[in-house]
Amino acid sequence: MRTPARRMAFSAFSALAASALFAAPAAATVFQQAVVVNADAEIARDGAITLHGAYQCEAASPGGATQVKVTVAQEDAGRLSIGTGAVCDGAPHEWKVRAPQFGAGLHPGRAVATAELQEVHLHGLMPRAVDTVAVDSRDIEIHELH
């Protein structure tokens, strides 16, 4: 007779927990994350690429960090991924990354850039998992700096 009583108690608790979870107002979950990559990028004489844009995010989960990862690619060349840290305080921020290409072969002209706002979950000092919380992908123009 103890098993049916435990099942009933567990069922009642589960129903109560589910109703509390689904009865919460939609605004109770506030994850307002956004990232944008600008339509123009620069390439320096030494080949270094500079991309920029903006982001906005709420505080990262405990034990985590937030970053902006940007990937730029051209069909007739290569692909380059670079990143920078992000401050998540609910306010809008600008981001800018500059990196050497290390053989990617990017050049002035059309390209595709994808910016990802990522939350990195750490286990000690090592990343355990990376979640992408916002993405922007667009055609861009890489201009040569004079």
Side-chain angles (χ1 to χ4, degrees), residues 31-36 54-58 68 117 133-136:
F31 293 111
Q32 297 183 11
Q33 279 37 293
V35 66
V36 175
Y55 70 92
Q56 182 174 0
C57 54
E58 300 293 327
V68 175
L117 185 62
V133 296
V135 177
D136 181 37

Side-chain angles (χ1 to χ4, degrees), residues 30-33 55-68 85-91 93 117-122 128-131 133:
V30 184
F31 293 111
Q32 297 183 11
Q33 279 37 293
Y55 70 92
Q56 182 174 0
C57 54
E58 300 293 327
S61 65
T66 308
Q67 67 182 12
V68 175
V87 176
C88 289
D89 57 6
H93 296 276
L117 185 62
Q118 298 179 326
E119 190 171 288
V120 181
H121 305 280
L122 303 172
R128 180 176 43 92
V130 177
D131 293 324
V133 296

Side-chain angles (χ1 to χ4, degrees), residues 64-79:
T66 308
Q67 67 182 12
V68 175
K69 175 187 166 195
V70 187
T71 302
V72 61
Q74 289 177 312
E75 283 187 22
D76 61 341
R79 167 184 298 255

Side-chain angles (χ1 to χ4, degrees), residues 47 49 72-74 76-81 100-107:
I49 293 279
V72 61
Q74 289 177 312
D76 61 341
R79 167 184 298 255
L80 175 70
S81 291
Q101 291 191 50
F102 298 119
L106 299 173
H107 54 81

